[in-house]
């Protein structure tokens, strides 16, 4: 097996123009090596950068005038040592700060000072957390000055945010957050924190909460570029931007769009290649080629060298611009570095964020830079941001396919620094690459590589799968929200029953106007369920629309109820079976005798409102499905996760769940009394 892994390692090409980096979670270097050997070994194995954890929210490991200095670091300048040896061995040195989280190294007297000043976070129950509150301007100023101090004092190549977030959805709800939220928004919160957790001010608070984290990124980025424009600003972020902005207030896609970051490093720590690939694929769409994407590989979770090799290959194939390994330890060197050196890191190269010299004009496609097979894609490539010291240059423009194929498109040189052409490639994943040299001074030539955003050409089947809402819509049909849990399985089921069902991707007024009935599977992104959206859908139902909601969308946890007068969520038991009750038209053909299992592992029980009618109960005799007629419309609140399997994947509903779904939709369409 070892020989097979070694053979696989030797098959991996050494790619020009990529970041090959590591995170090191200590300011002292690897183990007892010191910084000289730490840098020497990393360079020997073909890496070109290191992210070193030199400061936290409450402690620094170098002489700092902003943060307390760790006892073990007193009398030494570890930052100066690290930068010196990394630069000597050709490595970029990026200073990694653990933001907000205080960890165990913060001196007790400093922690007590922060506590006394009310600068620490509190969870929804009022318990203190060892995290700086991001909304406190004193904390933001301290963290900003700590990073700017580093930029002013040391010749570092970059600063790197980490823990630039909240610890989870349960924070921060301190008194300071309440006061500042009310001041900034003009909203008076009567029931704190319930009104901002699942009450009427949920969406406003979520927006404000994200802004508190973003402010630090924005302010540091602007100041770093003013003080030293050559220093790169980056961040280690959660893999899934959609859930991260809600769970931890980390809106990193926005940071990319606004230009606060020079590159981004999602922490894609998994041993599952399929999950890793899906994360990188989505991240390349979210970044849209605006800045380099360097996925983090969780080598600490892996036991075989082939796992790291495979993820490096996947990252390249899916459009990443390099990789960062977590973390740099003796074990990582022994188990993984020699295999990488056999192929992937065999030849030296420099990271692409050094060469932001090329403009790529690629038109908007189906979504981002995705196109249908047969589409003509006009592109323009120009070397128009070269540094002033660049005397001469020559570069070849090629269309790279992720399997290694390359087609020459043209040549750029001083007398013709741009080209325009029309691409019409076969299905696959591509990038336009500009590879060449720039003359620096009279004799020195510097190699460079710049790459375009990822260009995806899709087959008709792939277009239908990835962009379901592009197809035709039946008049007065049943819209199914496919960005909800189980949504696609519900859509397929209704179509199989001959109902005029079509996919809905947004909850906009235009989408509602095309629906006679809307099936709202529990949204995967809870932030879409804000007051405006709920109000829009409520009016649409009252004017004659039909609405079916599933699981949490009945009004549970972070999703407020849309018709509490009919029903709202109350509990979440696991394993209980259910059955239909009563003589409502929805229940006419359902089994009212036998208990039925449900495909998902839990369901939401309901608290019935004054206008609600129970359609089904569970074995605890608690309501799980209810119906009502708000205004001129009809509404069904279903606590079952229709269309969702126990593994959180879409699964076609069967037997009584299928009957319940179809019967509910037919009633919402106006069939029955």
């Amino acid at each position: 097996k070892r020989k097979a892994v070694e053979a696989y390692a030797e098959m991996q090409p050494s790619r020009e123009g990529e970041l090959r980096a590591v995170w090191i979670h200590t300011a002292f270097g690897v183990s007892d090596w010191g910084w000289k050997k730490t840098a020497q070994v990393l360079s020997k194995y073909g890496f070109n950068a290191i992210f070193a954890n030199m400061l936290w929210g409450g402690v620094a490991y170098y002489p700092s005038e902003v943060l307390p200095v760790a006892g073990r670091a007193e009398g030494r300048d570890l930052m100066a040592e690290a930068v010196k040896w990394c630069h000597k061995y050709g490595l970029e040195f990026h200073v990694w700060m653990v933001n907000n989280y205080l960890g165990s190294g913060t001196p007790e007297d400093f922690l007590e000072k922060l506590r006394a000043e009310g600068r620490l976070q509190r969870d929804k129950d009022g318990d203190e957390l060892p995290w700086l509150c991001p909304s406190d301007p004193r904390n933001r100023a301290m963290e900003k000055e700590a990073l700017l101090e580093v930029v002013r004092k040391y010749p570092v190549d970059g600063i790197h945010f980490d823990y630039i977030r909240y610890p989870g959805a349960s924070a921060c709800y301190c008194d300071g957050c309440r006061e500042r939220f009310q001041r900034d928004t003009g909203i008076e919160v009567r029931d704190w924190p319930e009104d901002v957790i699942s009450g009427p001010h949920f969406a406003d608070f979520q927006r404000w909460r994200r802004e508190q984290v973003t402010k630090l990124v924005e302010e540091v980025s602007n100041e770093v570029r003013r003080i030293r424009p050559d220093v790169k600003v980056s961040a280690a972020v959660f893999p899934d931007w959609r859930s991260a902005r809600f769970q931890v207030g980390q809106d990193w896609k926005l940071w990319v769009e606004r230009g606060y970051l020079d590159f981004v490093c999602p922490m894609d720590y998994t041993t599952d290649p399929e999950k890793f690939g899906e994360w990188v694929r989505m991240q390349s769409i979210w970044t849209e080629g605006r800045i380099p994407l360097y996925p983090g590989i969780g080598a600490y979770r892996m036991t075989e060298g082939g796992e790291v090799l495979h993820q490096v290959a996947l990252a390249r194939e899916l459009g990443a611009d390099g990789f960062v390994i977590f973390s740099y330890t003796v074990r990582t060197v022994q188990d993984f570095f020699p295999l990488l050196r056999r192929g992937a890191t065999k030849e030296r190269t420099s990271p692409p964020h050094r060469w932001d010299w090329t403009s790529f004009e690629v038109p908007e496609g189906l979504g981002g830079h995705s196109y249908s097979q047969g589409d003509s894609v006009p592109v323009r490539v120009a070397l128009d941001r070269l540094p002033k010291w660049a005397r001469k240059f020559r570069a070849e423009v090629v269309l790279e396919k992720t399997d290694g194929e390359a087609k020459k498109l043209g040549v750029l040189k001083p007398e013709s620094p741009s080209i325009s052409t029309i691409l019409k490639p076969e299905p696959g994943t591509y990038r336009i690459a500009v590879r060449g040299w720039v003359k620096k001074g009279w004799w020195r030539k510097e190699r460079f590589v710049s790459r375009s955003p990822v260009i995806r050409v899709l087959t008709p089947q792939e277009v239908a799968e990835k962009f379901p809402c592009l197809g035709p819509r039946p008049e007065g049909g049943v819209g199914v929200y496919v960005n909800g849990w189980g949504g696609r399985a519900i859509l397929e089921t209704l179509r199989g029953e001959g109902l005029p069902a079509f996919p809905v991707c947004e909850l906009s007024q235009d989408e509602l106007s095309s629906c006679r009935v809307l099936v709202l599977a529990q949204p995967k992104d809870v932030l879409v369920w804000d007051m405006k959206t709920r109000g829009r859908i409520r009016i649409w139902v009252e004017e004659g629309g039909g609405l079916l909601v599933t699981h949490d969308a009945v009004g549970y946890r972070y999703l407020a109820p849309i018709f509490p007068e009919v029903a709202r969520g109350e509990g979440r038991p696991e394993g209980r079976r259910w059955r239909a009750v009563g003589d409502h038209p929805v229940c006419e053909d359902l089994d009212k005798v036998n208990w039925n299992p449900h495909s998902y592992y839990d369901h939401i029980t309901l608290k019935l409102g004054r206008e609600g009618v129970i359609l089904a109960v569970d074995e605890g005799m608690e309501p799980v499905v209810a119906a009502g007629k708000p205004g001129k419309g009809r509404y069904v609140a279903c606590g079952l996760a229709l269309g969702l399997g126990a593994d959180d994947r879409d699964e076609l509903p069967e037997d009584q769940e299928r009957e319940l779904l179809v019967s509910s939709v037919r009633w919402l369409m106006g069939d029955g009394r």
Side-chain angles (χ1 to χ4, degrees):
K1 187 175 182 180
R2 177 70 183 180
K3 288 189 179 298
V5 172
E6 290 175 351
Y8 177 63
E10 290 171 1
M11 291 169 56
Q12 305 308 309
S14 190
R15 187 187 189 206
E16 187 178 14
E18 73 175 0
L19 179 81
R20 303 166 185 166
V22 293
W23 280 292
I24 182 168
H25 219 323
T26 168
F28 297 88
V30 173
S31 188
D32 58 352
W33 291 1
W35 275 106
K36 179 180 179 180
K37 184 176 179 181
T38 296
Q40 187 179 33
V41 169
L42 194 62
S43 178
K44 169 188 169 184
Y45 284 104
F47 286 78
N48 52 32
I50 189 168
F51 297 84
N53 183 198
M54 308 301 288
L55 66 162
W56 294 58
V59 68
Y61 287 83
Y62 54 89
S64 173
E65 297 176 8
V66 179
L67 294 172
V69 178
R72 289 198 302 152
E74 288 181 354
R76 295 179 62 183
D77 194 336
L78 291 168
M79 185 84 78
E81 290 178 34
V83 174
K84 169 189 168 183
W85 290 112
C86 286
H87 284 176
K88 180 176 177 61
Y89 287 100
L91 301 171
E92 286 193 357
F93 187 84
H94 296 258
V95 178
W96 162 15
M97 179 179 189
V98 173
N99 298 94
N100 299 321
Y101 181 48
L102 297 174
S104 59
T106 301
E108 190 58 39
D109 59 340
F110 187 64
L111 181 62
E112 189 54 46
K113 176 178 181 292
L114 296 171
R115 179 179 291 122
E117 293 175 354
R119 293 166 61 177
L120 302 181
Q121 292 191 39
R122 292 190 178 273
D123 65 18
K124 60 185 178 64
D125 298 318
D127 295 329
E128 182 185 279
L129 302 170
W131 288 64
L132 296 171
C133 176
S135 77
D136 192 313
R138 295 168 295 181
N139 293 338
R140 188 162 61 249
M142 180 178 70
E143 293 202 293
K144 180 174 76 172
E145 286 308 311
L147 285 167
L148 296 182
E149 177 187 46
V150 170
V151 171
R152 292 187 183 104
K153 288 175 62 176
Y154 299 97
V156 299
D157 298 288
I159 59 162
H160 187 63
F161 292 104
D162 187 22
Y163 280 71
I164 185 69
R165 57 180 177 83
Y166 294 88
S170 62
C172 173
Y173 299 101
C174 69
D175 290 341
C177 276
R178 180 179 189 175
E179 177 188 334
R180 290 183 283 271
F181 171 68
Q182 292 184 143
R183 180 198 65 203
D184 294 347
T185 63
I187 295 171
E188 182 181 351
V189 183
R190 295 183 179 180
D191 185 7
W192 178 271
E194 291 305 318
D195 279 359
V196 298
I197 291 176
S198 59
H201 307 307
F202 167 77
D204 293 299
F205 183 73
Q206 285 293 321
R207 189 179 305 109
W208 177 85
R209 180 175 179 258
R210 295 194 301 275
E211 288 171 356
Q212 306 316 303
V213 178
T214 295
K215 281 179 183 177
L216 179 61
V217 179
E218 178 185 11
E219 291 177 10
V220 169
S221 177
N222 290 341
E223 281 299 294
V224 167
R225 286 163 181 171
R226 183 184 65 81
I227 297 167
R228 280 187 55 198
D230 59 310
V231 172
K232 302 301 180 183
V233 179
S234 63
V237 297
F238 276 22
D240 192 329
W241 156 78
R242 297 164 299 189
S243 60
R245 64 190 183 124
F246 160 61
Q247 292 289 345
V248 295
Q250 189 180 76
D251 199 354
W252 63 261
K253 180 173 178 282
L254 180 73
W255 307 344
V256 172
E257 291 170 349
R258 291 186 177 176
Y260 300 154
L261 302 180
D262 293 298
F263 58 85
V264 66
C265 307
M267 298 175 287
D268 296 342
Y269 304 156
T270 177
T271 56
D272 181 352
E274 185 177 340
K275 180 180 286 187
F276 180 84
E278 181 57 28
W279 278 340
V280 176
R281 187 177 294 107
M282 293 307 301
Q283 290 153 6
S284 70
I285 292 172
W286 293 330
T287 54
E288 292 186 327
R290 288 185 172 94
I291 58 174
L293 167 67
Y294 304 140
I297 295 174
Y300 74 102
R301 291 187 170 186
M302 299 173 183
T303 57
E304 298 180 2
E307 294 178 282
V308 171
L309 291 172
H310 186 42
Q311 291 197 3
V312 168
L314 270 176
R316 289 172 168 178
E317 178 184 335
L318 295 169
D321 300 279
F323 57 90
V324 191
I325 290 178
F326 185 81
S327 64
Y328 187 14
T329 63
V330 173
R331 174 181 171 265
T332 310
V333 174
Q334 293 172 344
D335 292 355
F336 306 123
F337 282 12
L339 289 169
L340 288 166
R341 186 62 171 159
R342 284 175 175 263
T345 64
K346 188 174 183 178
E347 297 174 11
R348 294 187 181 280
T349 191
S350 297
H353 56 252
R354 287 189 186 178
W355 309 312
D356 184 23
W357 301 340
T358 310
S359 294
F360 297 95
E361 295 178 13
V362 184
E364 183 79 9
L366 299 172
H369 298 110
S370 294
Y371 308 91
S372 296
Q373 183 177 2
D375 284 353
S376 296
V377 184
V379 299
R380 180 177 180 272
V381 182
L383 263 174
D384 54 4
R385 296 198 298 268
L386 284 167
K388 293 179 180 179
W389 51 257
R391 298 175 60 85
K392 292 183 179 180
F393 64 87
R394 182 180 177 85
E396 187 177 67
V397 183
V398 299
L399 182 64
E400 294 181 338
K401 197 174 182 183
T402 53
D403 62 6
E405 292 182 16
K407 176 185 176 182
K408 185 174 178 180
L409 301 178
V411 174
L412 304 179
K413 44 193 175 182
E415 58 270 26
S416 53
S418 68
I419 66 165
S420 296
T421 187
I422 295 177
L423 306 178
K424 201 169 183 177
E426 291 299 308
T429 304
Y430 302 85
R431 299 185 81 175
I432 302 170
V434 178
R435 308 170 181 164
W437 54 263
V438 171
K439 197 168 184 182
K440 192 172 186 178
W442 293 104
W443 57 274
R444 181 184 166 194
K445 287 183 179 179
E446 180 173 334
R447 294 279 308 168
F448 75 94
V449 179
S450 295
R451 289 184 172 88
S452 74
V454 176
I455 296 170
R456 294 180 175 84
V457 181
L458 309 176
T459 65
Q461 294 80 4
E462 289 172 326
V463 171
E465 171 66 23
K466 295 181 183 298
F467 301 98
C469 296
L470 293 177
R473 299 185 171 190
E475 284 289 327
V478 180
V480 180
Y481 186 60
V482 292
N483 289 328
W485 296 103
R488 296 197 181 213
I490 290 173
L491 176 64
E492 186 176 340
T493 298
L494 295 178
R495 283 175 167 173
E497 292 289 332
L499 291 165
F502 60 88
V504 168
C505 294
E506 297 177 351
L507 299 175
S508 64
Q509 187 61 52
D510 287 345
E511 294 278 29
L512 290 174
S513 299
S514 65
C515 300
R516 182 178 178 185
V517 170
L518 174 65
V519 179
L520 180 63
Q522 176 186 330
K524 294 179 180 179
D525 181 359
V526 297
L527 298 182
V528 305
W529 199 237
D530 56 22
M531 287 183 68
K532 288 183 179 178
T533 300
R534 294 198 306 275
R536 184 186 309 126
I537 296 175
R538 184 180 174 98
I539 291 171
W540 172 79
V541 172
E542 290 172 339
E543 291 178 348
L547 176 66
L548 166 64
V549 299
T550 70
H551 210 252
D552 281 16
V554 299
Y556 190 69
R557 287 187 287 200
Y558 301 109
L559 301 178
I562 190 167
F563 289 109
E565 63 270 34
V566 175
R568 65 187 304 152
E570 188 167 47
R572 190 170 63 92
E574 297 183 12
R576 292 185 194 168
R577 296 176 296 175
W578 68 280
R579 72 180 179 197
V581 295
D583 58 357
H584 191 278
V586 169
C587 305
E588 191 171 311
D589 295 323
L590 295 177
D591 185 349
K592 303 184 187 69
V593 176
N594 298 303
W595 293 105
N596 307 292
H598 45 70
S599 58
Y600 200 54
Y601 67 87
D602 69 14
H603 62 265
I604 306 302
T605 57
L606 305 177
K607 181 178 181 180
L608 203 66
R610 65 183 184 278
E611 298 177 15
V613 176
I614 299 174
L615 306 186
V617 297
D618 65 13
E619 289 177 300
M621 299 310 293
E622 295 186 76
V624 292
V625 185
K629 292 184 176 181
K632 299 177 182 178
R634 297 183 175 190
Y635 173 63
V636 174
C638 177
L640 304 176
L642 300 177
L644 193 63
D647 59 355
D648 288 334
R649 296 179 185 271
D650 280 35
E651 181 179 299
L652 295 178
E654 297 180 348
D655 302 326
Q656 287 296 291
E657 282 192 317
R658 186 184 187 95
E659 289 294 328
L660 172 64
L661 169 63
V662 174
S663 182
S664 296
V665 169
R666 291 193 186 282
W667 178 73
L668 291 169
M669 293 177 72
D671 298 348
R673 63 184 186 275

